[in-house]
Coordinates of all heavy atoms in Angstrom, one line a residue:
M33 N 0.8 -1.2 0.0 CA 0.0 0.0 0.0 C 0.9 1.2 0.0 O 1.8 1.4 0.8 CB -0.9 0.0 1.2 CG -2.3 0.6 1.0 SD -3.4 0.3 2.3 CE -3.3 1.9 3.1
R34 N 0.5 2.1 -0.9 CA 1.3 3.4 -1.0 C 0.7 4.4 -0.1 O -0.5 4.6 0.0 CB 1.3 3.8 -2.4 CG 2.8 4.1 -2.9 CD 2.8 4.3 -4.4 NE 2.5 5.7 -4.7 CZ 2.2 6.1 -5.9 NH1 2.1 5.3 -6.9 NH2 2.0 7.4 -6.2
M35 N 1.6 5.1 0.6 CA 1.2 6.2 1.5 C 0.8 7.4 0.6 O 1.7 7.9 -0.1 CB 2.3 6.6 2.5 CG 2.3 5.6 3.7 SD 0.9 5.9 4.8 CE 1.6 7.2 5.8
K36 N -0.4 7.8 0.7 CA -0.8 9.0 0.0 C -0.7 10.3 0.8 O -1.2 10.3 2.0 CB -2.3 8.8 -0.5 CG -2.5 9.5 -1.8 CD -3.9 9.0 -2.3 CE -4.7 10.1 -2.8 NZ -6.1 9.7 -3.1
K37 N -0.1 11.2 0.3 CA 0.1 12.5 1.1 C -1.2 13.3 1.1 O -1.6 13.8 0.0 CB 1.2 13.3 0.6 CG 1.8 14.3 1.6 CD 2.9 15.1 1.0 CE 3.3 16.2 2.1 NZ 4.3 17.1 1.5
S38 N -1.9 13.2 2.2 CA -3.2 13.9 2.2 C -3.0 15.4 2.4 O -2.2 15.8 3.2 CB -4.1 13.3 3.3 OG -3.5 13.5 4.5
K39 N -3.8 16.2 1.8 CA -3.8 17.6 2.0 C -4.7 18.0 3.1 O -5.9 18.0 3.0 CB -4.2 18.3 0.6 CG -3.4 19.6 0.4 CD -3.7 20.2 -0.9 CE -3.0 21.5 -1.1 NZ -3.4 22.2 -2.3
T40 N -4.1 18.4 4.2 CA -4.9 18.8 5.3 C -5.1 20.3 5.5 O -5.9 20.8 6.3 CB -4.3 18.2 6.6 OG1 -2.9 18.7 6.7 CG2 -4.3 16.7 6.7
G41 N -4.3 21.0 4.7 CA -4.4 22.5 4.9 C -3.5 23.0 6.0 O -3.5 24.1 6.3
Y42 N -2.8 22.0 6.6 CA -1.9 22.4 7.7 C -0.8 23.4 7.3 O -0.6 24.3 8.0 CB -1.3 21.1 8.3 CG -0.2 21.3 9.3 CD1 -0.6 21.5 10.7 CD2 1.1 21.2 9.0 CE1 0.3 21.7 11.6 CE2 2.1 21.4 10.0 CZ 1.7 21.6 11.3 OH 2.6 21.8 12.3
E43 N -0.3 23.1 6.1 CA 0.8 24.0 5.6 C 0.3 25.4 5.3 O 1.1 26.3 5.3 CB 1.4 23.3 4.4 CG 2.5 22.3 4.8 CD 2.8 21.3 3.8 OE1 2.2 21.3 2.7 OE2 3.7 20.5 4.1
N44 N -1.0 25.5 5.0 CA -1.5 26.8 4.7 C -1.6 27.7 6.0 O -1.7 28.9 5.9 CB -2.9 26.7 4.1 CG -2.9 26.1 2.8 OD1 -1.9 26.2 2.0 ND2 -4.0 25.4 2.4
H45 N -1.5 27.1 7.1 CA -1.6 27.8 8.4 C -0.3 28.0 9.0 O -0.2 28.4 10.2 CB -2.6 27.1 9.3 CG -4.0 27.2 8.9 ND1 -4.7 28.4 9.0 CD2 -4.8 26.4 8.3 CE1 -5.9 28.2 8.5 NE2 -6.0 27.0 8.1
L46 N 0.8 27.7 8.3 CA 2.1 27.9 8.8 C 2.6 29.3 8.6 O 2.4 29.9 7.5 CB 3.1 26.9 8.2 CG 3.0 25.5 8.7 CD1 4.0 24.6 8.0 CD2 3.3 25.4 10.2
T47 N 3.3 29.8 9.6 CA 3.9 31.1 9.4 C 5.3 31.0 10.1 O 5.6 30.0 10.8 CB 3.1 32.2 10.1 OG1 3.7 33.5 9.8 CG2 2.9 32.0 11.6
T48 N 6.1 32.0 9.9 CA 7.5 31.9 10.4 C 7.6 32.8 11.7 O 7.1 33.9 11.7 CB 8.5 32.4 9.4 OG1 8.2 31.7 8.1 CG2 9.9 32.1 9.8
C49 N 8.1 32.2 12.7 CA 8.3 33.0 13.9 C 9.4 34.1 13.7 O 10.5 33.8 13.2 CB 8.8 32.0 15.0 SG 9.3 32.9 16.5
P50 N 9.0 35.3 14.1 CA 10.0 36.4 13.8 C 11.2 36.4 14.8 O 12.1 37.1 14.6 CB 9.1 37.7 14.1 CG 8.0 37.2 15.0 CD 7.7 35.8 14.7
H51 N 11.1 35.5 15.8 CA 12.2 35.5 16.8 C 13.2 34.4 16.5 O 14.4 34.6 16.6 CB 11.6 35.3 18.2 CG 10.5 36.2 18.5 ND1 10.8 37.6 18.8 CD2 9.2 36.1 18.6 CE1 9.6 38.2 19.1 NE2 8.6 37.3 18.9
C52 N 12.7 33.2 16.0 CA 13.6 32.1 15.8 C 13.5 31.5 14.4 O 14.2 30.6 14.1 CB 13.4 31.0 16.8 SG 11.7 30.2 16.7
D53 N 12.7 32.1 13.6 CA 12.6 31.7 12.1 C 12.1 30.3 11.9 O 12.4 29.7 10.9 CB 13.9 31.9 11.4 CG 14.0 33.4 11.0 OD1 13.0 34.1 10.8 OD2 15.2 33.9 10.8
K54 N 11.4 29.7 12.9 CA 10.9 28.3 12.8 C 9.5 28.4 12.3 O 8.8 29.4 12.6 CB 11.1 27.6 14.1 CG 12.5 27.1 14.3 CD 12.6 26.3 15.6 CE 14.0 25.7 15.7 NZ 14.4 25.6 17.1
D55 N 9.0 27.3 11.8 CA 7.6 27.3 11.3 C 6.6 27.1 12.5 O 6.8 26.1 13.3 CB 7.4 26.1 10.3 CG 8.0 26.5 9.0 OD1 8.2 27.7 8.7 OD2 8.3 25.6 8.2
V56 N 5.7 28.0 12.6 CA 4.7 27.9 13.7 C 3.3 28.1 13.0 O 3.2 28.6 11.9 CB 4.9 28.9 14.8 CG1 6.1 28.6 15.6 CG2 5.0 30.3 14.2
L57 N 2.3 27.7 13.8 CA 0.9 27.9 13.2 C 0.5 29.3 13.4 O 0.8 29.9 14.5 CB 0.0 26.9 14.0 CG 0.2 25.4 13.6 CD1 -0.6 24.5 14.5 CD2 -0.3 25.2 12.2
D58 N -0.2 29.8 12.5 CA -0.5 31.2 12.5 C -1.6 31.7 13.5 O -1.9 32.9 13.6 CB -0.9 31.7 11.1 CG -2.1 31.0 10.5 OD1 -2.7 30.2 11.3 OD2 -2.5 31.3 9.4
H59 N -2.2 30.7 14.2 CA -3.2 31.1 15.2 C -2.6 31.1 16.6 O -3.3 31.4 17.6 CB -4.4 30.2 15.1 CG -4.1 28.8 15.5 ND1 -3.8 27.8 14.6 CD2 -4.1 28.2 16.7 CE1 -3.6 26.7 15.2 NE2 -3.7 26.9 16.5
M60 N -1.3 30.8 16.7 CA -0.7 30.8 18.0 C -0.3 32.2 18.5 O 0.1 33.0 17.7 CB 0.5 29.9 17.9 CG 0.2 28.4 17.8 SD 1.7 27.4 17.6 CE 1.0 25.8 17.9
V61 N -0.4 32.3 19.8 CA 0.0 33.6 20.4 C 1.4 33.6 20.9 O 2.0 34.6 21.2 CB -1.0 34.1 21.5 CG1 -2.3 34.5 20.9 CG2 -1.2 33.0 22.5
E62 N 1.9 32.3 21.0 CA 3.3 32.2 21.6 C 4.0 31.1 20.8 O 3.4 30.1 20.5 CB 3.1 31.7 23.0 CG 4.5 31.7 23.8 CD 4.3 31.1 25.2 OE1 4.3 29.9 25.3 OE2 4.1 31.9 26.1
C63 N 5.2 31.4 20.4 CA 6.0 30.4 19.7 C 6.3 29.2 20.5 O 6.7 29.3 21.7 CB 7.3 31.1 19.2 SG 8.5 29.9 18.4
I64 N 6.1 28.0 19.9 CA 6.3 26.8 20.7 C 7.8 26.4 20.9 O 8.1 25.6 21.7 CB 5.6 25.6 20.1 CG1 5.9 25.4 18.6 CG2 4.1 25.7 20.4 CD1 5.4 24.1 18.0
F65 N 8.6 27.1 20.1 CA 10.0 26.8 20.1 C 10.8 27.8 21.1 O 11.6 27.4 21.9 CB 10.6 26.9 18.7 CG 10.0 25.9 17.8 CD1 9.1 26.4 16.8 CD2 10.2 24.6 17.8 CE1 8.5 25.5 15.9 CE2 9.6 23.7 17.0 CZ 8.7 24.1 16.0
C66 N 10.5 29.0 20.9 CA 11.3 30.0 21.7 C 10.5 30.8 22.7 O 11.0 31.7 23.4 CB 12.0 31.0 20.7 SG 10.9 32.1 19.9
K67 N 9.2 30.5 22.7 CA 8.2 31.2 23.6 C 8.1 32.7 23.3 O 7.6 33.4 24.2 CB 8.6 30.9 25.1 CG 8.7 29.5 25.5 CD 7.3 28.8 25.6 CE 7.4 27.3 25.9 NZ 6.2 26.6 25.7
G68 N 8.5 33.0 22.1 CA 8.3 34.4 21.8 C 6.9 34.8 21.4 O 6.1 33.9 21.1
E69 N 6.6 36.0 21.6 CA 5.2 36.5 21.3 C 5.0 36.5 19.8 O 5.8 37.0 19.0 CB 5.0 37.9 21.9 CG 3.6 38.3 22.0 CD 3.3 39.7 22.3 OE1 4.2 40.3 22.9 OE2 2.3 40.3 21.8
L70 N 3.8 36.0 19.4 CA 3.4 36.0 18.0 C 2.2 36.8 17.8 O 1.4 36.9 18.7 CB 3.2 34.6 17.5 CG 4.4 33.6 17.6 CD1 3.9 32.2 17.2 CD2 5.4 34.0 16.6
K71 N 2.0 37.3 16.6 CA 0.8 38.1 16.3 C -0.1 37.3 15.5 O 0.1 37.1 14.3 CB 1.2 39.4 15.6 CG 1.8 40.4 16.5 CD 2.0 41.7 15.8 CE 2.5 42.8 16.7 NZ 4.0 42.7 16.9
P72 N -1.2 36.7 16.1 CA -2.1 35.9 15.3 C -2.8 36.7 14.3 O -3.1 37.8 14.5 CB -3.1 35.4 16.4 CG -2.5 35.7 17.7 CD -1.6 36.9 17.5
Y73 N -3.1 36.0 13.2 CA -3.6 36.7 12.0 C -5.1 37.2 12.2 O -5.5 38.1 11.5 CB -3.6 35.8 10.8 CG -4.6 34.6 10.9 CD1 -5.8 34.7 10.2 CD2 -4.3 33.5 11.6 CE1 -6.7 33.6 10.3 CE2 -5.2 32.4 11.7 CZ -6.4 32.5 11.0 OH -7.2 31.5 11.1
Y74 N -5.8 36.7 13.2 CA -7.2 37.0 13.3 C -7.4 38.2 14.3 O -8.5 38.7 14.5 CB -8.0 35.8 13.8 CG -7.6 35.2 15.1 CD1 -7.9 35.7 16.3 CD2 -6.8 34.1 15.0 CE1 -7.5 35.1 17.5 CE2 -6.3 33.5 16.2 CZ -6.7 34.0 17.4 OH -6.3 33.4 18.5
R75 N -6.3 38.6 15.0 CA -6.4 39.6 16.0 C -7.0 40.9 15.5 O -7.9 41.5 16.1 CB -5.1 39.8 16.7 CG -4.8 38.9 17.8 CD -5.4 39.4 19.1 NE -5.4 38.4 20.2 CZ -4.4 38.3 21.1 NH1 -3.3 39.1 21.0 NH2 -4.4 37.4 22.0
P76 N -6.5 41.5 14.4 CA -7.0 42.8 13.9 C -8.5 42.7 13.6 O -9.2 43.7 13.8 CB -6.1 43.1 12.7 CG -4.9 42.2 12.8 CD -5.4 41.0 13.6
M77 N -8.9 41.5 13.1 CA -10.3 41.4 12.7 C -11.2 41.4 13.9 O -12.2 42.0 13.9 CB -10.4 40.0 12.0 CG -10.9 40.1 10.6 SD -10.9 38.6 9.8 CE -12.4 37.8 10.5
E78 N -10.7 40.8 15.0 CA -11.5 40.8 16.2 C -11.6 42.2 16.8 O -12.6 42.6 17.3 CB -10.9 39.8 17.2 CG -11.1 38.4 16.9 CD -11.0 37.5 18.1 OE1 -10.3 37.8 19.1 OE2 -11.6 36.4 18.1
K79 N -10.5 42.9 16.7 CA -10.5 44.2 17.2 C -11.5 45.1 16.4 O -12.2 45.9 17.0 CB -9.1 44.8 17.0 CG -8.6 45.7 18.1 CD -7.1 45.9 18.0 CE -6.7 47.2 18.8 NZ -5.3 47.4 18.5
N80 N -11.5 44.9 15.1 CA -12.4 45.6 14.3 C -13.9 45.3 14.6 O -14.7 46.1 14.6 CB -12.2 45.3 12.8 CG -11.3 46.3 12.1 OD1 -11.1 47.4 12.6 ND2 -10.9 46.0 10.9
R81 N -14.1 44.0 14.9 CA -15.5 43.6 15.2 C -15.9 44.2 16.5 O -17.1 44.6 16.7 CB -15.5 42.0 15.3 CG -16.9 41.5 14.8 CD -16.8 40.0 14.6 NE -16.6 39.3 15.9 CZ -16.5 38.0 16.0 NH1 -16.6 37.3 14.9 NH2 -16.3 37.4 17.1
A82 N -15.0 44.2 17.5 CA -15.3 44.8 18.8 C -15.7 46.3 18.6 O -16.6 46.8 19.2 CB -14.2 44.6 19.7
K83 N -15.0 46.9 17.7 CA -15.2 48.3 17.4 C -16.6 48.5 16.8 O -17.3 49.4 17.1 CB -14.1 48.8 16.5 CG -13.6 50.2 16.7 CD -12.4 50.4 15.9 CE -11.9 51.8 15.8 NZ -10.8 51.9 14.9
Q84 N -16.9 47.6 15.9 CA -18.2 47.6 15.2 C -19.3 47.4 16.1 O -20.3 48.1 16.1 CB -18.2 46.5 14.1 CG -18.0 47.0 12.7 CD -18.0 45.9 11.7 OE1 -18.0 44.7 12.0 NE2 -17.9 46.3 10.4
I85 N -19.2 46.4 17.0 CA -20.2 46.1 18.0 C -20.4 47.3 18.9 O -21.6 47.7 19.2 CB -19.8 44.9 18.8 CG1 -20.0 43.6 17.9 CG2 -20.7 44.7 20.1 CD1 -19.3 42.4 18.5
R86 N -19.3 48.0 19.3 CA -19.4 49.1 20.2 C -20.2 50.3 19.5 O -21.0 51.0 20.1 CB -18.0 49.6 20.7 CG -18.1 50.3 22.0 CD -16.8 50.2 22.7 NE -15.7 50.6 21.9 CZ -14.4 50.2 22.1 NH1 -14.1 49.4 23.0 NH2 -13.5 50.6 21.3
A87 N -19.8 50.5 18.2 CA -20.5 51.5 17.5 C -22.0 51.3 17.3 O -22.8 52.2 17.5 CB -19.8 51.7 16.1
W88 N -22.3 50.0 17.1 CA -23.7 49.6 16.9 C -24.4 49.8 18.2 O -25.6 50.2 18.2 CB -23.7 48.1 16.5 CG -25.0 47.6 16.0 CD1 -25.5 47.9 14.7 CD2 -26.0 46.9 16.7 NE1 -26.8 47.2 14.7 CE2 -27.1 46.6 15.8 CE3 -26.0 46.3 18.0 CZ2 -28.2 45.9 16.2 CZ3 -27.1 45.6 18.4 CH2 -28.2 45.4 17.5
L89 N -23.8 49.4 19.3 CA -24.4 49.5 20.6 C -24.7 51.0 21.0 O -25.7 51.3 21.5 CB -23.4 48.9 21.7 CG -24.1 48.2 22.8 CD1 -24.6 46.9 22.4 CD2 -23.1 47.9 23.9
T90 N -23.8 51.9 20.6 CA -24.0 53.3 20.8 C -25.2 53.8 20.1 O -26.0 54.5 20.6 CB -22.7 54.1 20.4 OG1 -21.6 53.5 21.0 CG2 -22.8 55.5 20.7
V91 N -25.3 53.3 18.9 CA -26.5 53.7 18.0 C -27.8 53.3 18.7 O -28.8 54.0 18.8 CB -26.3 53.2 16.6 CG1 -27.6 53.4 15.8 CG2 -25.2 53.9 15.9
V92 N -27.8 52.0 19.1 CA -29.0 51.4 19.7 C -29.4 52.1 21.0 O -30.5 52.4 21.2 CB -28.8 49.9 19.9 CG1 -29.9 49.3 20.8 CG2 -28.7 49.1 18.6
L93 N -28.4 52.4 21.8 CA -28.6 53.0 23.1 C -29.1 54.5 22.9 O -30.0 54.9 23.6 CB -27.3 53.0 24.0 CG -27.0 51.7 24.6 CD1 -25.6 51.7 25.3 CD2 -28.1 51.2 25.6
T94 N -28.6 55.1 21.9 CA -29.0 56.5 21.6 C -30.5 56.5 21.1 O -31.3 57.3 21.6 CB -28.1 57.1 20.5 OG1 -26.7 57.0 20.9 CG2 -28.4 58.6 20.3
A95 N -30.8 55.6 20.3 CA -32.1 55.4 19.8 C -33.1 55.1 20.9 O -34.2 55.7 21.0 CB -32.2 54.3 18.7
L96 N -32.7 54.3 21.8 CA -33.5 53.9 23.0 C -33.7 55.1 23.9 O -34.8 55.3 24.4 CB -32.7 52.7 23.8 CG -33.7 51.7 24.4 CD1 -34.3 50.8 23.4 CD2 -32.9 50.9 25.4
A97 N -32.7 55.8 24.1 CA -32.8 57.0 25.0 C -33.7 58.0 24.3 O -34.6 58.6 25.0 CB -31.4 57.6 25.1
L98 N -33.6 58.2 23.0 CA -34.5 59.1 22.3 C -36.0 58.6 22.4 O -36.9 59.4 22.6 CB -34.1 59.2 20.8 CG -33.0 60.2 20.5 CD1 -32.5 60.0 19.1 CD2 -33.4 61.6 20.7
L99 N -36.2 57.3 22.3 CA -37.5 56.7 22.4 C -38.1 57.0 23.8 O -39.3 57.4 23.9 CB -37.4 55.2 22.2 CG -38.7 54.6 21.7 CD1 -39.0 54.9 20.3 CD2 -38.6 53.1 21.9
I100 N -37.3 56.9 24.8 CA -37.7 57.1 26.2 C -38.1 58.5 26.4 O -39.2 58.9 27.0 CB -36.6 56.6 27.2 CG1 -36.5 55.1 27.2 CG2 -37.0 57.2 28.6 CD1 -35.3 54.6 27.9
V101 N -37.3 59.4 25.8 CA -37.6 60.9 25.9 C -38.9 61.2 25.2 O -39.7 61.9 25.7 CB -36.4 61.7 25.3 CG1 -36.8 63.2 25.2 CG2 -35.2 61.6 26.2
L102 N -39.1 60.6 24.1 CA -40.3 60.8 23.3 C -41.5 60.3 24.0 O -42.6 61.0 24.1 CB -40.2 60.1 21.9 CG -39.5 60.9 20.8 CD1 -39.2 60.1 19.6 CD2 -40.3 62.2 20.4
L103 N -41.4 59.2 24.7 CA -42.5 58.6 25.4 C -42.8 59.4 26.6 O -44.0 59.5 27.0 CB -42.1 57.1 25.9 CG -42.2 56.1 24.7 CD1 -41.7 54.8 25.2 CD2 -43.7 55.9 24.3
E104 N -41.8 60.0 27.2 CA -42.0 60.9 28.4 C -42.8 62.2 28.0 O -43.6 62.7 28.7 CB -40.7 61.3 29.0 CG -39.9 60.2 29.6 CD -40.4 59.9 31.0 OE1 -40.7 60.9 31.7 OE2 -40.5 58.7 31.4
L105 N -42.5 62.6 26.8 CA -43.1 63.9 26.3 C -44.6 63.6 25.9 O -45.4 64.6 26.0 CB -42.4 64.4 25.0 CG -41.0 65.0 25.4 CD1 -40.2 65.3 24.1 CD2 -41.1 66.3 26.2
L106 N -44.9 62.4 25.5 CA -46.3 62.1 25.0 C -47.3 62.1 26.1 O -47.0 61.6 27.2 CB -46.3 60.8 24.2 CG -45.7 60.9 22.8 CD1 -45.6 59.6 22.2 CD2 -46.6 61.8 21.9
Ligands
ZN320 ZN1 10.2 31.3 17.9

């Protein structure tokens, strides 16, 4: 039986550690070889999403406050 090299996508998630130049996975926050700090690829996206949620929340709360003021006036 011949061993077939299956494509798992593992290699697509490899990145190079800026501290020791070894291959590490791109979702890691710490290098498994040198324990250096890594910047995961999804971090900026999460930051953006948090910003979006906060902006959305501000809009909703403002609308709610306006609604309460309007109801008080009626
Ligand atoms: Zn490293």
Side-chain angles (χ1 to χ4, degrees):
M33 212 170 101
R34 233 169 86 194
M35 278 287 274
K36 215 167 132 190
K37 201 181 175 186
S38 61
K39 216 175 174 187
T40 53
Y42 175 80
E43 274 158 0
N44 290 333
H45 288 286
L46 282 177
T47 185
T48 312
C49 174
H51 308 287
C52 65
D53 278 335
K54 279 183 177 146
D55 285 339
V56 289
L57 290 169
D58 61 4
H59 65 267
M60 286 174 169
V61 290
E62 187 187 84
C63 176
I64 50 166
F65 302 105
C66 70
K67 303 287 175 194
E69 196 193 330
L70 299 172
K71 286 186 174 81
Y73 68 101
Y74 57 83
R75 273 277 171 90
M77 242 173 77
E78 286 203 335
K79 218 168 160 184
N80 262 347
R81 211 168 68 183
K83 220 168 166 181
Q84 256 177 355
I85 289 167
R86 204 154 54 204
W88 193 79
L89 216 72
T90 307
V91 170
V92 169
L93 285 174
T94 307
L96 214 72
L98 278 170
L99 201 76
I100 288 164
V101 169
L102 276 170
L103 284 172
E104 293 278 322
L105 287 172
L106 283 172

